[in-house]
């Protein structure tokens, strides 16, 4: 059973920073595709950033240059460093894992990020 546990959300002022963490168990982490998604009130869940097993990353245009996704395979953890936060970044952030053969999605319960203006 693949389990994901996010942490690091909270309330921050605009321009501030937060780092989200997601610890994964029940899979061979280093082989996983990992992603961070977010869902704001009244909106659909959207991809924020993802990272492949080889370390290649991809970002949504709205966060490019401000957010950085990284992974520590020794700690079974994926991170999302969020800088220059804006009120429109307010959302519940979800960690996503897709282990080989990459046909199943697993989700954490989410962590709330609130950015005040």
């Amino acid at each position: 059973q693949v389990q994901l546990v996010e942490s690091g959300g909270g309330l921050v002022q605009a321009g501030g920073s937060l780092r989200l963490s997601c610890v994964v168990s029940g899979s061979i982490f280093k082989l996983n595709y990992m992603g961070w998604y977010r869902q704001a009130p009244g909106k659909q869940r959207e991809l924020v950033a993802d990272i492949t097993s080889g370390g290649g990353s991809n970002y949504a245009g709205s966060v490019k240059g401000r957010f950085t996704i990284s992974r520590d395979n020794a700690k079974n953890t994926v991170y999302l460093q969020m800088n220059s936060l804006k009120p429109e970044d307010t959302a519940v952030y979800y960690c996503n894992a897709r282990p080989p053969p990459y046909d199943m999605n697993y989700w954490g319960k989410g962590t709330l990020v609130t950015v005040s203006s």
Side-chain angles (χ1 to χ4, degrees), residues 46-103:
E46 63 176 359
L47 174 68
V48 176
D50 59 21
I51 186 166
T52 66
S53 58
S57 58
N58 175 58
Y59 296 90
S62 59
V63 307
K64 198 171 292 186
R66 300 188 296 123
F67 291 10
T68 302
I69 189 170
S70 62
R71 62 192 298 158
D72 185 336
N73 291 338
K75 295 182 178 180
N76 289 0
T77 302
V78 64
Y79 302 98
L80 185 68
Q81 177 67 43
M82 305 186 293
N83 299 328
S84 302
L85 282 160
K86 304 175 180 180
E88 50 264 45
D89 295 318
T90 295
V92 178
Y93 284 70
Y94 296 92
C95 182
N96 171 259
R98 201 180 305 156
Y102 307 111
D103 58 351

Side-chain angles (χ1 to χ4, degrees), residues 1-15:
Q1 181 82 12
V2 180
Q3 293 185 320
L4 297 80
V5 179
E6 303 105 331
S7 62
L11 173 64
V12 64
Q13 288 188 331

Side-chain angles (χ1 to χ4, degrees), residues 97-113:
R98 201 180 305 156
Y102 307 111
D103 58 351
M104 292 283 291
N105 278 298
Y106 297 89
W107 297 92
K109 293 183 178 180
T111 185
L112 177 63
V113 172

